[in-house]
Amino acid sequence: MATGPTATPVLIVGGGPVGLTLSALLSDQGVDHLLVEAHPTTAHHPKARGIAARSMEILRRLGLEAEVRRAGLPASQVFFYRGRDLVDPDFVRTGVVPADSPDAPQPERTPAPGLICSQDVLEPILLGRARAAAGEDRIRFGTRLVSCTDEGDHVRAVLVERAGGRRYTVCADWLVGCDGAGSPVRAGAGIGMQGPTGLGHFLSVRFDAPLGAVVADRASASYFLTPPGRGGFMAVDNDRRWIHQYPFDPEQARDDEDFTDPRRLEELIRVAAGIADLDVRVRDTMVWRMDARLADAYRSGRILLAGDAAHVIPPTGGHGMNTGIGDADNLAWKLAAVVAGRATPALLDSYQAERRAPAREVIELSRANAAARSGYRIDDELLLDVVYRSTAVVPDPDDPHRPESFLAHGRAPVGPGHRLPHTRLIGPPGITSTLDLLAPAPGFTLIIGADEPAWRRQAEVAEASGSTVVVRVLDGGPVREREPGTFQRVCGVPATGAVLVRPDGHLAWRAPHPPAGPELLAVLRRVLSAPTRPTPPGAHPPAPDDDSRSRTHTNPDS
């Protein structure tokens, strides 16, 4: 543990959706930490609204899915409108096929489809969860990072409180910058960013207006205006709360484009809506620039980056915040394992290996969306397809060890590195999906088809060595699949096989049958980049004629 005026295992800088999600996940992993946010309150402006399916799965694990759904737009309004204004009689309205529709893609891929819930509504929900788990004094809004210095065995951070100006120092074993595109943490760590800036410039106006009755027959999540209209509207509640996005060219701005004059802004909204006498009340404005940038590194020593600090993704597709929430999910269990001594710091190198490559692909996809003249499709399930290739995944013997991640685009069967596939279960309340079988943090989960004693012995050996492995049996006891055999088929393992699932819900390893020796223990040590320890009492040594399997699933550096 670092020493100093104030010491903490982890310091999170930034209290937006990514930082607050990381805080909640760390608390569930049993990691004491401190979060600081420069702003005095959560966001007023709904900068992001779309919560994708993968993010909803993470929120489901945190026990927040139902609350977020209540706060979001109903699924019946998740449509995309195109017209000259909001009252255009020749509008076009397209939507996402509901998961329970006969026309929906089969099989069902997630128990937690995405939804529209604006950031100003989401953040208080996340803040409440973070404070309840970490403690009120560990989540400090109105506290700004002045500087951070990696001292080798800890990070020294100087903080200042907005109210009163009190300045103090925190010494953290690890610091995570979740502090946005202009990240002071990234600057302090000397990490550069690459990629184009100024792909577009926009004025975002948050306003109140009685538009609910106007759009009653065309309610949508986003309203794109076609020429001669410019920009569009984003629904916050599809009644009185709205955002108007207005594109402009700063090099060719007209003299009458005064973005500080409320009367000018009100008229801008009336023209865009097509309602000359619309009663408008402007709440606030924000001018923003569309960039597409990626950090050169996600880690420098004891400093790590997540969210917009690591990648600035164009909003055309709604993947920016969601990619950041995925960063938090990937990083939390790794930090927890390192802080607890279950893993070496080398495990944190897998964070960049697993998260930077998909971010690059999502940036390119979002740039293509921005350039599309005929519009683009919102892919709610895109981030379900992120596949990891790193030292924290043990590949199959016939699977080449690729050094980077990629998007699988729905390919099956799944294997090591893929997200745990969803299949419907019948069981106790709250257990309706294989995703609900994940062990309580910080445990790994071993999912087996039948209650095979040999697999339980493997888990017992791992437990005796200090690892937490919870065995979950499909189609046995109180839980069974709605369609028996589906999980094994999707995972490509026979009924005698098993899959090992990491705390973030990605497959670490799979095997067709119980191994003869303590292979599960060796796999866990490899995944955690943990040092080799003596085989615990009672464990069976590897069979002498099974050295090929040992080479495949043990760390050659151990």
Side-chain angles (χ1 to χ4, degrees), residues 522-542:
V523 164
L524 286 164
R525 288 174 176 166
R526 177 173 173 175
V527 167
L528 293 169
S529 298
T532 300
R533 301 188 183 97
T535 302
H540 300 288

Side-chain angles (χ1 to χ4, degrees), residues 247-333:
F248 68 95
D249 185 342
E251 301 296 326
Q252 300 180 10
R254 303 195 310 268
D255 291 339
D256 64 341
E257 288 188 325
D258 183 357
F259 297 153
T260 63
D261 182 353
R263 288 176 298 180
R264 166 63 181 148
L265 295 174
E266 291 167 6
E267 184 60 24
L268 195 71
I269 292 166
R270 292 187 184 105
V271 170
I275 306 173
D277 60 349
L278 181 65
D279 180 19
V280 179
R281 180 179 180 184
V282 173
R283 293 292 187 178
D284 58 47
T285 63
M286 180 178 70
V287 174
W288 61 277
R289 185 183 72 189
M290 185 188 296
D291 297 340
R293 312 199 77 197
L294 184 63
D296 295 336
Y298 279 26
R299 178 189 176 192
S300 176
R302 290 181 172 271
I303 298 175
L304 302 109
L305 305 177
D308 287 356
H311 43 73
V312 181
I313 299 173
T316 42
H319 300 305
M321 177 180 69
N322 293 295
T323 301
I325 290 174
D327 295 341
D329 192 35
N330 184 283
L331 183 56
W333 73 270

Side-chain angles (χ1 to χ4, degrees), residues 321-499:
M321 177 180 69
N322 293 295
T323 301
I325 290 174
D327 295 341
D329 192 35
N330 184 283
L331 183 56
W333 73 270
K334 296 174 181 178
L335 274 173
V338 172
V339 167
R342 297 188 299 272
T344 67
L347 174 63
L348 296 175
D349 291 333
S350 70
Y351 169 59
Q352 173 173 309
E354 294 184 348
R355 294 301 300 173
R356 190 170 182 273
R360 183 175 60 242
E361 293 190 39
V362 170
I363 287 172
E364 292 308 312
L365 183 150
S366 300
R367 286 187 65 186
N369 283 343
R373 292 182 178 272
S374 59
Y376 56 88
R377 184 174 68 91
I378 302 293
D379 189 348
D380 176 55
E381 297 185 349
L382 176 74
L383 299 179
L384 300 179
D385 289 329
V386 173
V387 182
Y388 297 148
R389 292 289 185 268
S390 76
T391 57
V393 172
V394 179
D396 292 335
D398 58 351
D399 182 23
H401 188 87
R402 288 179 285 268
E404 293 185 310
S405 315
F406 62 100
L407 297 174
H409 301 295
R411 289 195 295 270
V414 305
H418 289 244
R419 157 191 160 273
L420 173 68
H422 156 70
T423 59
R424 282 287 172 184
L425 301 179
I426 299 172
I431 306 294
T432 61
S433 166
T434 43
L435 274 63
D436 300 327
L437 298 179
L438 287 183
F444 283 69
T445 310
L446 188 71
I447 300 179
I448 59 179
D451 198 355
E452 169 58 57
W455 278 122
R456 290 196 177 274
R457 286 195 295 270
Q458 289 280 326
E460 289 166 2
V461 169
E463 289 268 356
S465 188
S467 297
T468 301
V469 181
V470 175
V471 178
R472 302 293 196 197
V473 182
L474 286 176
D475 302 324
V479 175
R480 60 184 175 88
E481 292 181 272
R482 179 179 292 176
E483 299 179 15
T486 301
F487 185 78
Q488 279 76 26
R489 183 172 64 254
V490 174
C491 289
V493 294
T496 57
V499 295

